[in-house]
Amino acid sequence: MSEAGDSRLSRRAFLIGAGASGAVAALGLLHLRSRGERLAHAPAAERAAAPRYRDFGDVWREQWRWDAVAHTSHARANCISACSWNAFVKAGIVWREEQNAIYAASEPGVPDFNPRGCQKGACYSHLMYEPSRVLHPLRRVGPRGSGRWKRVSWDEALTEIADRIIDASMASGTGAVVYDHGTTNIDFGPDTASEMRLFAILNSTQIDSWAGVGDMPMGAVQTWGLYNSEGTSDDWFKSDYIVVWAGNPAYTRIPEVHFMHEARYRGARLVVIAPDYNASAVHADTWLNPRVGTDAALGLAMAQVILAEDLARDEYLREQTDLPILVREDDGRYLREADLRAGGRDDLLWFWDEVRDALAPVPGCQGEGGRSLALGALRPALGGRREVTLADGSRAAVRPLLDVLRAHLDAACTPEQAAAITGVGAGTIRRIARELAAAPSAMIVSSWGACKHYHSDLNQRAAILLMALTGNQGRSGGGMRIASWWPVQGFDEMLRDVSPIPLGLKAKAVWQGVTGQLGWREFEGLMQAMVPRRGNTPLMPFLYEHAGYREVWDRREWHDPAVPRSTADYLEESVAKGWIPIRPRRGVDPKVFLFTGANPLRRWPSPQTALAHLWPKLDLVVDVNFKVGTSGMRADLILPTAGYYERDSLKYSQAYLPYLVLCERVIPPLGEAKPEWEIFGLLARRIQDQATKRGVGEVEDAVGGRVDLRTVYERWSGGGRFHESDPRGALDHMLRRTTTTGSKGLDDPETRGGMLPVVEAGGGPDALYAVASDFSPGRTLYPHARFVEGKEAWPTLSGRQQFLIDHPWYEEIGETLPVFKEAPKAGGDYPIRLTGGHTRWSIHAAWRDSSLMLRLQRGEPAVFVAARDAARRGIGDGDRVRVRNDHGAFEAVAKVAASVQPGQAVIYHAWEPYQFQGWRGQQEPVPAPWKALHLAGGYGQVHYRGIYGAPGHHPRAQCVEIERVGRPHGEVT
Amino acid sequence: MNGAVLGALSNPDARLAAARSRAYAVFAELFDYPDQELCRSIRDGAIALALREVLAEVHPALAEGDFTGLAEPGPDDELAVEYTRLFDVGAGAPPCPLYEGVYGGARMKTMEECVRFYHHFGLALPEAPRELPDHLVTELEFLHYLAFREAEALEGGEDPGAWRRAARDFALRHPARFLGKLEARLARAGAMPFFRALAGRLAGFVAHDAARLVALEGPPPAGAAAAPKPD
């Protein structure tokens, strides 16, 4: 019995039996305590006088002194930005927060980062005290979703989870245990490290949700072998021409967007390309509104103009792109050494060297060694048909890819053709293309929101082509900007320590790193080598195999009609060839599903499918969160986590800001909440204890290896180096291991400022910081300098930005070159394309029910309908409408919006299903078929890497009909 | 207990204050999460009896009517399950949160005033708070404390005015502001009779107590019963 429990029993005994004790009154305070004054009864002479009190005004007249004003942040808020805040603390409560605006400018003449912080961060103190907060471990006692719960002790909860994990592991291996952190719900501090360590030790199924949340820029991976392409956001200020494409930074990059606007004061032009007149478009010099999903047509037409009008930067093309590489006329593939010589390499490609008028191997291509793309004395031809003799003695015509590309664009991608597709005038397309090409530096900001269409990869390939043709990629103020991260070595080490990668491989990587031999290709090799050894599994194949989505995604009519085979066929081939893993392995059902901060039944496409098919397979569903969302309501156990201000952690570190932002505990956790560091340390300990007690030793892991459950905690604790009760010690350890910020610990004076300036970041290969630019304090950072300035080869087959992918699947599907394809009619043949985007008033679902944020919008799920579409359907502003297709439906209130293009409807991101009628949320009519092409592997840069490079979630542009069902709140017609 | 016990009291007003203090403590106990021991005490009628007795001691009218709902915790863990459904967790929020500020739209200001009251009278939340300052149980404990000190003062021949005025103002500005709304929400949520009966009894008791304190100390200054302004 706890002290509080004892006190309560004592109080209760008195209250029930007061008469018998002889006492008539006794103080029994459990939720209050003395501030130092006596509580015990004393004779009048010994008592101080009662506090002066005339009326309630007296309590307000007392000066309110803060107990502390402390720096902190929102470590697992799943927000791209990192902002330090001052939390104002009194009585164990954070009452408000203010921006900790002490960031320095990167260099003279460039604006600084201040103040940073949005309205969500400014009201977290409210959110964490809303009644959605969960304060006690809860166990379901009724059917799932019935809302019948009971508090349980941590001891009971952890024992149950440990036993279920052991049961599932004994029956089917740890693959039956599924862990999902929902990607960026992570931090880079001890909390995420704790849970990732545990599931890495178990080597259970670990959902790779990067693509699964629709954030995977496959077009970048296909072109560069990387997805990372961003620097510090103040580098935007240096751009002369900024194109925001398929994004809305006024909503989604609130602390960064001012740099774009400030750039306009030095003469930059801002172009926004979006079908709707969004909040970013209102700041633009030019707004282009192509039809939904036609961006590739627009981009390729601009490329056609640049090439046709000879506006491209040829020297850049020669060195940095595959456009000079020779392509065979007969099969459209690169000319390879294997074509020229028996036994030749399949990954050695060729130029035509104008200096020697002869074939020359491409420096930096995979088969050449792949280190440097420097041309030296070579001058690759950018045009011209030539014939070469093949290994069998026959002759083949070859051309530089640029010729092929020109012909391709001239045939199908002229501005007039694009105008018919996009609705943007041909003259406008030409004007923007010319402006872009003429700008000293131009950039396209097109981040994760631009990854959520079926053909997002084609859009991205077209956009990157524009940046390459104009020589902007790899330049300050230029290039395609997506995202990047600072390396946090202390965090990496916490994961690497327990990774199931064989020691030999780890040692090799360390050795290569130390000796400078760890190049991009070696790193790619390491990532590929990890795939069969780790329990990571991309979300979409997991859902396909285990969650009932097979029937949804096998519907051919919802896919690109040019795809000749079913998704099932492609998946079979991919799995058979070892290109993509599926965990748990086929034949093993998931049994335990534990998610941390994530909300899968809100986030996943077609959540009704998962609920119907996956949920019944699960013996235990555990939600680890500080508040309860839709998925938590369908769970079996809810474990309450500490709020963001109640933990010691480190915000994850997007490269926009050259600081790592600390998220320090400024108040103790409310109720029985605990930080994840402690929760998963305790769970590791309990698994070990229960396994020992039950006599369970080694079990099979998710990949067919062995894991000893009796040593789980031993390994989690690093042999005693870490303890679950000391997250601060772990954070300090991690910071001291982080050279990015100078290995400063928590006691360093600089750390006490709430943030640590980045002092060094090498641009070498890294899972997170693959930005390929060395950071220098005092300079803005821009991506890909090592390739463009340092002449390192890109990690692609060609060693260059690669626009031809002659993989057999790409040939089969017709996407060897960037092309425009109409978005498939996912959901059925309906006239309106449902789009979305992150909202200004929430970070995913976390603030969706915030009473303060709801005041700033309609206060309930709203779908934005174009005025013309609304009029045709008799829909008035504020009416209730049903949004439906062949797959599902939801109801919401209509906002008739002049900003929305006819044929488009917008529902902003992440309303909770429980906020809709019947809990049927906005994802119900979203089958979100994905491109089987993204299962491809075995080719240069085209392969899965364990954390990225997999099929994604494409919820945008689903086809729907919208119909009026009544006035708000009742009046049904 | 917190080491403060009053034995037999000679002053009838002190006895009344002691009864009021006990009544607030009983309500605080019953609005806290019910463990098995509490369920047994409810089931065997001890709680209903204790509450009836203490309310009768405060004023006979408060003890009138049917108390059977307060002796019906339901089978097994039903009371705990119902408590969790009503007060702990729900889609977005439980249907009947026990946080006053949720009902008035001025959450932080409400909490601030509670803390100001607690601090003014020498109290604070625990170092690691189990609940927030505007939680009903915290508020009831504060009224329990004020009444206890009032009894102590009366028995010692001291002026009880400060304690009484504080209780008057706090009751009117805090629990009295939202108990009616809580009752309505409990009805809408189809709460089990125990909690509906409990909320009804508490609302009646707080209203009676505040009225009596107004009669003794005079009405609060203009605006005293108004809600804190929104944040």
Side-chain angles (χ1 to χ4, degrees), chain A residues 659-922:
Chain A
Y659 293 83
L660 298 190
V661 173
L662 289 155
C663 178
E664 290 191 80
R665 171 178 149 147
V666 298
I667 50 171
L670 191 61
E672 296 183 85
K674 295 179 185 294
E676 290 90 344
W677 171 264
E678 183 179 353
I679 292 171
F680 288 94
L682 288 170
L683 182 57
R685 187 188 283 278
R686 191 58 51 93
I687 291 169
Q688 176 170 307
D689 290 350
Q690 290 299 104
T692 305
K693 189 171 149 188
R694 293 170 57 175
V696 179
E698 284 194 352
V699 294
E700 185 179 298
D701 70 11
V703 300
R706 307 293 292 174
V707 55
D708 189 344
L709 298 180
R710 295 165 301 189
T711 61
V712 169
Y713 179 77
E714 184 65 19
R715 294 182 62 200
W716 180 92
S717 69
R721 184 197 300 169
F722 305 115
H723 193 277
E724 61 271 22
S725 65
D726 186 19
R728 200 165 170 77
L731 175 59
D732 184 63
H733 171 84
M734 293 164 73
L735 288 174
R736 290 180 192 280
R737 306 291 292 178
T738 299
T739 55
T740 297
T741 47
S743 305
K744 298 182 178 75
L746 281 170
D747 58 354
D748 189 278
E750 208 155 22
T751 314
R752 303 314 311 151
M755 62 189 94
L756 281 165
V758 173
V759 295
E760 68 171 47
D766 188 294
L768 286 176
Y769 185 66
V771 65
S773 291
D774 300 312
F775 174 73
S776 304
R779 298 279 305 278
T780 67
L781 177 74
Y782 52 94
H784 299 167
R786 279 203 174 195
F787 304 131
V788 177
E789 296 167 12
K791 313 300 182 196
E792 291 181 21
W794 297 73
T796 59
L797 177 75
S798 62
R800 280 149 174 75
Q801 300 178 68
Q802 188 169 327
F803 299 99
L804 172 68
I805 302 172
D806 55 353
H807 184 291
W809 283 20
Y810 284 67
E811 293 170 337
E812 184 175 304
I813 290 172
E815 297 184 17
T816 52
L817 286 171
V819 295
F820 163 70
K821 287 184 169 181
E822 191 77 50
K825 292 188 178 298
D829 190 6
Y830 294 98
I832 294 177
R833 294 280 187 178
L834 185 65
T835 70
H838 282 257
T839 170
R840 175 178 271 160
W841 303 285
S842 186
I843 299 168
H844 301 90
W847 274 256
R848 262 306 188 192
D849 61 347
S850 157
S851 54
L852 290 179
M853 292 298 103
L854 287 172
R855 290 181 200 172
L856 303 178
Q857 41 186 319
R858 292 265 166 147
E860 61 179 315
V863 59
F864 290 55
V865 185
R868 194 180 76 190
D869 292 337
R872 285 180 178 170
R873 290 164 176 78
I875 295 168
D877 192 71
D879 283 352
R880 294 207 69 75
V881 294
R882 179 179 296 116
V883 179
R884 64 170 174 82
N885 61 18
D886 294 344
H887 188 66
F890 66 84
E891 291 185 15
V893 65
K895 176 176 170 52
V896 177
S899 61
V900 175
Q901 185 176 118
Q904 177 193 22
V906 179
I907 182 159
Y908 282 104
H909 180 59
W911 292 102
E912 284 274 12
Y914 69 70
Q915 293 175 301
F916 292 80
Q917 185 75 28
W919 289 39
R920 296 175 66 186
Q922 66 196 82

Side-chain angles (χ1 to χ4, degrees), chain A residues 8 11-12 24-25 27 29-31 33 35 39 41 47 52-53 59-60 62 129 132 150-151, chain B residues 2 4 6 22 29 33 77 88 92 107 113 116 120 122-125 141 149 152 158 165 169:
Chain A
R8 191 171 176 201
R11 180 175 78 176
R12 190 182 304 152
V24 294
L27 270 183
L29 300 178
L30 302 176
H31 296 264
R33 65 175 172 87
R35 295 180 78 198
L39 280 180
H41 171 60
R47 290 202 297 271
R52 173 188 165 85
Y53 184 89
V59 304
W60 282 100
E62 287 165 12
Y129 298 134
S132 56
K150 187 183 158 191
R151 292 185 193 176
Chain B
N2 302 96
L6 290 174
R22 285 208 313 280
E29 175 68 26
Y33 187 75
D77 294 332
D88 273 351
R107 185 76 196 281
E113 183 167 290
R116 284 178 174 275
H120 189 82
L123 299 178
L125 298 176
E141 283 197 1
R149 290 295 181 220
E152 194 179 48
E158 301 158 50
R165 287 189 294 277
D169 291 352

Side-chain angles (χ1 to χ4, degrees), chain A residues 956-973:
Chain A
R956 303 282 162 77
Q958 309 292 292
C959 293
V960 297
E961 182 51 277
I962 300 178
E963 59 203 14
R964 180 177 186 270
V965 293
R967 293 293 302 164
H969 309 302
E971 184 208 324
V972 175
T973 54

Side-chain angles (χ1 to χ4, degrees), chain A residues 318-492:
Chain A
R318 281 184 221 281
E319 181 186 79
Q320 292 292 327
T321 74
D322 66 340
L323 296 179
I325 296 178
L326 295 173
V327 174
R328 290 174 56 160
E329 276 190 353
D330 55 355
D331 60 9
R333 295 184 169 189
Y334 291 118
L335 179 68
R336 290 169 157 82
E337 188 188 36
D339 296 329
L340 301 172
R341 279 191 282 279
R345 294 185 65 107
D346 194 46
D347 53 3
L348 183 57
L349 313 181
W350 300 84
F351 291 139
W352 191 267
D353 178 19
E354 291 178 335
V355 176
R356 294 191 301 112
D357 197 26
L359 285 171
V362 172
C365 76
Q366 190 168 294
E368 188 268 349
R371 285 284 174 177
S372 171
L373 50 64
L375 295 173
L378 291 171
R379 183 175 170 81
L382 286 173
R385 182 176 188 272
R386 292 170 179 86
E387 287 200 353
V388 295
T389 303
L390 302 180
D392 62 3
S394 63
R395 300 282 287 172
V398 293
R399 288 179 176 278
L401 176 61
L402 184 59
D403 270 0
V404 179
L405 180 68
R406 279 180 197 275
H408 166 66
L409 297 178
D410 290 346
C413 307
T414 64
E416 284 69 24
Q417 289 167 316
I421 294 167
T422 64
V424 178
T428 303
I429 294 172
R430 286 199 168 84
R431 177 170 66 82
I432 298 299
R434 290 167 187 154
E435 288 178 3
L436 184 78
S441 62
M443 58 192 283
I444 296 174
V445 176
S446 189
S447 187
W448 291 341
C451 305
K452 294 177 172 62
H453 287 256
Y454 188 90
H455 288 306
S456 282
D457 55 346
L458 293 172
N459 302 344
Q460 289 157 349
R461 290 173 71 187
I464 296 171
L465 177 62
L466 288 172
M467 292 292 91
L469 291 176
T470 54
N472 273 298
Q473 196 65 40
R475 298 187 53 188
S476 182
M480 177 83 160
R481 300 299 182 97
I482 300 173
S484 192
W485 313 76
W486 297 114
V488 181
Q489 294 84 1
F491 181 72
D492 292 347

Side-chain angles (χ1 to χ4, degrees), chain A residues 38 66 79 102 130 189 249-250 271 298 303 539 585 615 644 755 765 842 883 885:
Chain A
R38 65 172 182 106
W66 300 113
C79 167
I102 59 170
E130 296 242 10
V271 177
L298 181 63
L539 177 64
R585 62 181 158 78
W615 247 242
Y644 304 145
M755 62 189 94
S842 186
V883 179
N885 61 18

